[in-house]
Amino acid sequence: MIKAIIFDLDGTLVHTEILKAESYAQAIQILTKGSVLQKMVMDSFGKYIGLSRAGVVDGLFEEYKKPLSEHLDGLETDTVKERIIKSRLAIYHQMLNDKTLLSGHFCKYNLELLRRVHMDGFRTVLATMSHCFEADKVIEAMGIRGKLDLILTSVDIVQGKPYPEIYLKAKELLKIESEECLVIEDSLNGIKAGLAAGMKVFAVTNHLTRSQVHAANILAPSFIVDDPKELINRVYHYIEKNR
């Protein structure tokens, strides 16, 4: 029997993955003086979705090492990565402070699922690789803090997704078993984390994650939701079937 629904944040409840991708793309274009175009970073960003900030920066640095090194000549690798993070965070925090921009990226149907399962008495958890400050801003903007029994962010764990630590910690804090948890994710890395924790996972995909989720072939088609309008019915059908 399912007792808890654990939601990812970025790309699942709000399309901040798009904003994050844009912030990294703008930062790298600026740092490389335009030799790396924003579109190039946006096109390659999908593979980093769901990773920790360090994981994203490591991946992007390796991918664009040559132009970054050419334009930041003489700087140590760690210093270049710090420059990327600093530049990208300045851009991203401006986005988060734009309430109109942020509200336009809410995932309407996924948020409705959160509200409904909370109303129906399920334990509700947020498990995100976002940092606490950023997660708090988004949670406040969506008005869902009172609908969450537990909030876990990157500061609560050592190993980020695709490792299962954040999901294992959620079920330990809730004092329930893995098979009593249902995970709602959008990214391949998040799906891997939920499965590795021994939990059932529904993937509600978006244009940044859809092709990778399908190509990975690690979820049965019935657990992949490409149209978010179908999510509530699919989740409740599974819950009723497994009472």
Side-chain angles (χ1 to χ4, degrees), residues 94-242:
Q94 278 190 325
M95 293 174 173
L96 292 185
N97 286 329
D98 185 337
K99 293 182 179 179
T100 302
L101 175 67
L102 193 56
S103 64
H105 286 75
F106 292 171
C107 300
K108 174 183 174 182
Y109 298 101
N110 306 351
L111 280 167
E112 181 57 33
L113 173 64
L114 169 61
R115 295 185 183 101
R116 181 163 167 182
V117 293
H118 169 73
M119 183 176 64
D120 287 343
F122 292 94
R123 309 291 296 280
T124 51
V125 180
L126 190 71
T128 176
M129 294 313 304
S130 280
H131 284 234
C132 191
F133 169 79
E134 293 159 5
D136 277 345
K137 268 192 167 292
V138 177
I139 289 165
E140 286 301 320
M142 292 189 295
I144 61 169
R145 190 176 299 279
K147 295 172 175 57
L148 295 167
D149 295 295
L150 179 64
I151 298 170
L152 294 174
T153 68
S154 61
V155 301
D156 297 304
I157 56 167
V158 176
Q159 291 183 305
K161 302 172 187 178
Y163 292 97
E165 184 181 354
I166 197 164
Y167 287 118
L168 293 174
K169 185 161 189 175
K171 67 112 175 177
E172 288 163 7
L173 290 171
L174 293 175
K175 295 181 169 54
I176 59 177
E177 301 302 320
S178 291
E179 57 266 26
E180 296 173 316
C181 300
L182 187 63
V183 171
I184 311 296
E185 272 280 1
D186 73 299
S187 72
L188 182 57
N189 288 307
I191 293 163
K192 288 178 177 178
L195 293 176
M199 300 174 181
K200 289 294 184 183
V201 181
F202 271 90
V204 54
T205 67
N206 54 61
H207 77 275
L208 288 175
T209 62
R210 188 164 298 129
S211 61
Q212 281 197 326
V213 169
H214 282 278
N217 200 31
I218 59 175
L219 284 179
S222 59
F223 286 94
I224 301 175
V225 182
D226 292 327
D227 183 352
K229 293 177 185 176
E230 299 177 4
L231 182 64
I232 292 176
N233 287 339
R234 297 269 288 274
V235 167
Y236 268 86
H237 176 75
Y238 175 79
I239 291 171
E240 292 299 325
K241 187 179 174 182
N242 290 276

Side-chain angles (χ1 to χ4, degrees), residues 60-73:
L60 289 173
F61 175 79
E62 288 302 318
E63 193 161 348
Y64 301 106
K65 181 188 290 186
K66 189 172 185 293
L68 282 165
S69 299
E70 287 174 356
H71 291 281
L72 297 169
D73 187 37

